[in-house]
């Protein structure tokens, strides 16, 4: 684990979602934790970040672009989620979780019988916190998307963000990811 994560990361990366929620002192208190993973493009000329387009059949944000990521499973450490989600969504192997950058809260619909906000009947609105991390990848040319989750990918630079359909919060995440990857 020590080689997998940068020692300068805050304690959240080595917590479970349950522990993170239990110690969180702010408001609103999140009900669910998800992660986003910023993967740098291989070009050193102009920073780029990998973005993926959600499948058309997704209930939330169909066809919109985002950085890879997803929910933290019960008992799973947050950094383990970063590694797992990147592998599940892109087939890329994370070699290191390098840094954390600004996340955000959003309200999503909790569906009966499902932790995911993609299935079931609506029951209530919950606060979801997205924690974002920059990661190093073994080989960025080995992308194979999971077609159940994403239909396309692109390497996005700062001047390209507005060309992709994404929420304003995700546009800000992509911009912050590019800033973080440039450092």
């Amino acid at each position: 684990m020590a080689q997998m994560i940068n020692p300068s990361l805050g304690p959240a990366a080595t917590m479970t979602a349950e522990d993170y929620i239990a110690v969180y002192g702010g408001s609103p208190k999140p009900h669910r934790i998800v992660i986003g993973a910023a993967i740098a493009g291989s070009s050193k000329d102009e920073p780029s970040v990998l973005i993926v387009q959600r499948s058309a059949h997704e209930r939330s944000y169909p066809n919109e672009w985002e950085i890879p990521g997803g929910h933290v499973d019960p008992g799973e450490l947050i950094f383990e989620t970063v590694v797992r989600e990147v592998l599940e969504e892109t087939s890329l192997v994370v070699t290191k979780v390098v840094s954390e950058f600004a996340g955000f809260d959003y309200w999503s619909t909790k569906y009966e019988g499902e932790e995911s906000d993609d299935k079931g009947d609506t029951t209530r609105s919950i606060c979801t916190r997205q924690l974002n991390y920059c990661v190093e990848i073994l080989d960025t040319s080995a992308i194979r998307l999971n077609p159940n989750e994403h239909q396309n990918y692109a390497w996005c630079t700062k001047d390209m963000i507005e060309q992709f359909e994404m929420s304003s919060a995700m546009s800000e995440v992509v911009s912050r990811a590019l800033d973080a990857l440039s450092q």
Side-chain angles (χ1 to χ4, degrees), residues 29 31 106-111 122-128:
K29 189 170 191 109
H31 172 80
Y106 62 96
W107 291 93
S108 59
T109 304
K110 168 95 167 126
Y111 293 91
T122 302
T123 57
R124 61 191 161 108
S125 187
I126 60 167
C127 179
T128 299

Side-chain angles (χ1 to χ4, degrees), residues 15-22 32-33 72-73 75-78:
M15 296 176 140
T16 65
E18 298 87 354
D19 291 341
Y20 181 91
I21 292 167
R32 186 171 88 141
I33 305 297
V72 181
D73 287 340
E76 184 177 44
L77 299 179
I78 290 170

Side-chain angles (χ1 to χ4, degrees), residues 29-48:
K29 189 170 191 109
H31 172 80
R32 186 171 88 141
I33 305 297
V34 299
I35 62 88
I39 300 166
S42 56
S43 172
K44 300 296 180 195
D45 298 334
E46 185 173 16
S48 63

Side-chain angles (χ1 to χ4, degrees), residues 24 28 49 60 76-77 87 93 99 107 113 119 133 146 153 161 166 178 183:
Y24 182 73
V49 66
S60 300
E76 184 177 44
L77 299 179
L87 183 63
V93 176
S99 62
W107 291 93
K119 296 182 177 120
Y133 295 91
N146 176 341
Y153 73 91
I161 293 172
M166 61 181 84
L178 288 162
Q183 297 177 6

Side-chain angles (χ1 to χ4, degrees), residues 5-164:
I5 63 173
N6 184 332
S8 67
L9 280 178
T14 56
M15 296 176 140
T16 65
E18 298 87 354
D19 291 341
Y20 181 91
I21 292 167
V23 300
Y24 182 73
S27 180
K29 189 170 191 109
H31 172 80
R32 186 171 88 141
I33 305 297
V34 299
I35 62 88
I39 300 166
S42 56
S43 172
K44 300 296 180 195
D45 298 334
E46 185 173 16
S48 63
V49 66
L50 178 67
I51 58 173
V52 289
Q53 186 180 28
R54 292 173 64 89
S55 293
H57 68 268
E58 292 283 350
R59 178 178 243 163
S60 300
Y61 306 105
N63 299 311
E64 289 200 14
W65 293 82
E66 62 189 357
I67 61 174
H71 72 280
V72 181
D73 287 340
E76 184 177 44
L77 299 179
I78 290 170
F79 93 89
E80 293 170 334
T81 304
V82 174
V83 174
R84 176 182 55 77
E85 285 289 347
V86 169
L87 183 63
E88 285 178 5
E89 292 188 359
T90 67
S91 299
L92 297 175
V93 176
V94 172
T95 56
K96 191 170 195 172
V97 180
V98 180
S99 62
E100 185 174 1
F101 65 98
F104 66 101
D105 293 337
Y106 62 96
W107 291 93
S108 59
T109 304
K110 168 95 167 126
Y111 293 91
E112 186 176 318
E114 296 286 337
E115 187 56 36
S116 168
D117 59 347
D118 291 327
K119 296 182 177 120
D121 297 321
T122 302
T123 57
R124 61 191 161 108
S125 187
I126 60 167
C127 179
T128 299
R129 157 102 10 104
Q130 180 166 322
L131 304 174
N132 295 310
Y133 295 91
C134 294
V135 299
E136 291 178 358
I137 296 296
L138 188 61
D139 177 8
T140 58
S141 69
I143 299 170
R144 283 190 329 270
L145 297 179
N146 176 341
N148 293 324
E149 297 190 34
H150 296 99
Q151 59 185 311
N152 205 352
Y153 73 91
W155 293 99
C156 183
T157 61
K158 276 266 197 190
D159 60 344
M160 295 169 62
I161 293 172
E162 291 185 14
Q163 296 175 22
F164 296 96

